[in-house]
Amino acid sequence: MSSSDRPVVFRNGLVITMDDTHTIIPGGDVLVVGDKIEQIGTGLEVPEGTEEIDAAGGIVMPGMIDTHRHMWQTAMRGYGADWTLTQYFVWYYLESGKLFRPEDIFAGNLLSAIEAVDAGVTTSVDWSHGLQTPDHADAAVDALESVPGRFVLAYGNIQQGPWEWTNSPGFRDFVRRRIDHGKLEGFQIAFDVPGDPAFPEKAAFEAARELGVPVNTHVGVWGATNDNGVKMMYENGFMTPENIYVHAATLTNDSYSRIAATGGSVSVSTESEQSAGQGYPPTWQLRKHGIPVSLSMDTSVWWSADLFAAMRATLSADRSREHMEAHGKQETVTNHHLRAENVVEFATRGGAKAIGKDDKLGALTPGRQADIVLIKNDDSPAMFPILNPYGHIVYQANRADVHTVMVGGNVVKRDGKLVGTDLPAARAKVGATVDYLRGTLGEEAWQRGMNPQIPESEMFDNPYQYSDYEPGKADENIAE
Ligand SMILES: [Zn+2]
């Protein structure tokens, strides 16, 4: 990654460092030299020729980190907005996922990578489970490497058992070619453990151990993965600190204890859990077990790739749960446990810790990589006054307020405009993928996939209905 030749200073912003003591510096400066943060403070003296970015009226924060995003699915943006997990599994796992060609993986990843950077997500873990051949994997990496953000490839393949593809010559050759000397920020292996007592996934865990890479796995997903999977991972010694457990929404205390005791972290995708049905977003459980949390958006086939939305939903879901449980006991919550500050931590430092990069990313401190987001929008009434910095990030700002983004000292978005990315080319490629899929599926299947049946709704009798009008009998009502 090429960083700017001359130093850059963010001037006079509200600097949220997310350092160990969560230092906040009003009217603060952040000086970047090369790819690293050189100095943070107020009224900094800077080398001659330093480029100044006026951060006045804005918030300067660390680049956000998403630890679980199925980037290839961005080619189908919004298509599954009304899906449950069942429709998702049918569409991608059983019916249409295998239609995706390498160029379709490329297209989805390219648009998703650009979208991430644009929204201030400077590091994304690509939970890439559409890699049915090494050609698909090459296409995924080609796309990620062409965008000036940081990407961790979590290699997956839903068309084969993980014990098969992790030990295939093609996969091992891919790792040698693209990972060992590549430009990616990291590499993980992505698969799930549905709970077959024979534990066939053991060979995949052994492959990960042999390669020395983390496993990123969906656990506690209602109807798909449960405590049995966690138990087998634990009893076979595969629960290690570098692993990421996605969702972890429907588990018993025993499973949470196993995660906590072995040092792994949970990637919470609140918008996904609330809508798809994996289980209640689990921060209310995780905080009682002391399990580290990072955030993720899961997939843009349903939701936006927007970590502001993730922070907001996560904070609200935790509080919603707390109130609901209290009201069930005729009690009142007078003080919230989870704070805006916590979810900002999850979205930044929590992600850095989850991917094993806490010495390098996730906070604004001298020596760390200069992955910086300036939230500033002088045209927005919602950006004034900024009184509660964390609260402002979570509940007031949104991704349209991402003014400037820097990755490794390189400005990749400036004044609200992307720099060094070819969005029109990505649009054209995604357009071609959509045309291909729509044409292959046929219009009827395309529409059916997007519009699942609506179940019959229960309607209660309403004793306060005074008129004789009966819904659904409009003609008779009029005739009388
Ligand atoms: Zn997922």
Side-chain angles (χ1 to χ4, degrees):
M1 199 168 297
S2 67
S3 47
S4 144
D5 290 340
R6 53 183 189 140
V8 178
V9 65
F10 290 81
R11 274 282 189 222
N12 200 24
L14 178 59
V15 180
I16 311 271
T17 65
M18 300 316 291
D19 65 7
D20 289 343
T21 53
H22 288 194
T23 307
I24 293 178
I25 307 168
D29 302 340
V30 180
L31 174 63
V32 175
V33 178
D35 60 353
K36 292 192 177 74
I37 295 165
E38 176 79 14
Q39 210 183 342
I40 301 180
T42 50
L44 292 185
E45 300 238 4
V46 299
E48 199 160 305
T50 297
E51 181 193 345
E52 301 227 352
I53 295 175
D54 179 13
I59 295 171
V60 182
M61 68 178 281
M64 291 176 275
I65 298 173
D66 183 310
T67 53
H68 148 250
R69 185 174 288 195
H70 308 295
M71 296 177 71
W72 62 295
Q73 297 179 346
T74 300
M76 293 294 290
R77 181 191 300 289
Y79 181 84
D82 291 322
W83 282 353
T84 61
L85 206 52
T86 304
Q87 278 112 26
Y88 170 82
F89 283 141
V90 169
W91 203 91
Y92 272 108
Y93 283 61
L94 300 180
E95 291 180 352
S96 306
K98 56 183 173 298
L99 298 177
F100 284 72
R101 305 160 300 177
E103 59 259 54
D104 304 316
I105 301 290
F106 182 91
N109 267 29
L110 183 63
L111 186 61
S112 182
I114 294 172
E115 183 184 14
V117 166
D118 181 67
V121 180
T122 49
T123 303
S124 306
V125 176
D126 179 19
W127 215 106
S128 191
H129 50 357
L131 307 182
Q132 27 182 336
T133 71
D135 288 345
H136 288 74
D138 277 319
V141 177
D142 287 344
L144 299 179
E145 288 187 345
S146 73
V147 175
R150 295 184 199 276
F151 303 99
V152 174
L153 180 69
Y155 193 118
N157 174 8
I158 50 177
Q159 302 301 333
Q160 261 186 6
W163 52 93
E164 294 169 317
W165 61 260
T166 53
N167 290 295
S168 71
F171 170 72
R172 295 307 178 97
D173 176 60
F174 167 84
V175 174
R176 273 188 296 274
R177 284 188 296 109
R178 301 305 298 265
I179 303 304
D180 293 348
H181 308 286
K183 287 159 54 185
L184 292 174
E185 187 63 32
F187 184 63
Q188 305 176 346
I189 292 182
F191 61 90
D192 299 333
V193 183
D196 177 347
F199 195 40
E201 297 84 5
K202 187 170 187 227
F205 281 105
E206 283 166 349
R209 181 180 287 169
E210 184 195 328
L211 293 168
V213 299
V215 170
N216 198 324
T217 181
H218 299 95
V219 304
V221 174
W222 182 261
T225 58
N226 58 31
D227 294 303
N228 292 336
V230 174
K231 187 163 179 279
M232 284 188 290
M233 285 184 234
Y234 181 82
E235 287 176 350
N236 285 275
F238 294 125
M239 291 183 75
T240 46
E242 69 274 14
N243 288 356
I244 294 176
Y245 305 96
V246 176
H247 301 310
T250 38
L251 293 173
T252 56
N253 278 336
D254 191 54
S255 288
Y256 289 122
S257 296
R258 291 181 202 266
I259 294 172
T262 51
S265 64
V266 167
S267 177
V268 175
S269 309
T270 302
E271 285 199 327
S272 178
E273 288 131 22
Q274 287 181 315
S275 183
Q278 295 92 341
Y280 200 91
T283 53
W284 65 287
Q285 295 267 46
L286 302 175
R287 55 183 166 78
K288 293 176 192 168
H289 290 273
I291 296 172
V293 177
S294 64
L295 298 185
S296 55
M297 279 311 301
D298 204 347
T299 170
S300 290
V301 74
W302 262 290
W303 308 283
S304 67
D306 179 350
L307 284 194
F308 292 98
M311 289 189 278
R312 193 175 296 179
T314 302
L315 188 56
S316 297
D318 193 285
R319 291 173 174 181
S320 188
R321 179 88 197 196
E322 206 171 21
H323 288 298
M324 190 181 74
E325 298 214 327
H327 298 175
K329 294 183 280 185
Q330 298 294 312
E331 289 171 2
T332 301
V333 175
T334 55
N335 295 71
H336 288 129
H337 278 94
L338 204 68
R339 301 303 169 106
E341 182 172 350
N342 298 126
V343 294
V344 174
E345 158 105 24
F346 298 164
T348 54
R349 196 99 188 251
K353 287 176 182 166
I355 61 169
K357 303 274 180 182
D358 189 35
D359 55 340
K360 182 181 173 188
L361 307 173
L364 304 181
T365 61
R368 268 193 171 81
Q369 283 288 303
D371 290 10
I372 301 172
V373 173
L374 169 60
I375 302 166
K376 168 171 165 155
N377 185 351
D378 293 341
D379 294 326
S380 167
M383 284 303 292
F384 184 85
I386 301 174
L387 306 177
N388 175 334
Y390 298 112
H392 208 97
I393 292 171
V394 176
Y395 280 131
Q396 304 299 326
N398 69 59
R399 67 176 172 173
D401 302 319
V402 172
H403 175 286
T404 295
V405 180
M406 177 180 268
V407 181
N410 192 21
V411 174
V412 298
K413 184 179 186 184
R414 187 192 299 274
D415 288 336
K417 292 277 179 201
L418 284 163
V419 181
T421 47
D422 192 348
L423 186 56
R427 287 173 65 142
K429 286 184 192 309
V430 168
T433 287
V434 169
D435 289 346
Y436 153 72
L437 289 168
R438 195 168 185 159
T440 306
L441 289 168
E443 197 56 25
E444 193 274 329
W446 176 269
Q447 292 297 339
R448 184 162 33 86
M450 188 161 38
N451 299 295
Q453 269 191 328
I454 303 173
E456 213 169 307
S457 302
E458 185 186 2
M459 285 288 290
F460 292 109
D461 286 335
N462 185 343
Y464 302 103
Q465 198 87 46
Y466 298 124
S467 79
D468 291 334
Y469 174 80
E470 284 187 53
K473 291 192 178 172
D475 290 347
E476 293 167 43
N477 285 321
I478 290 165
E480 283 167 20

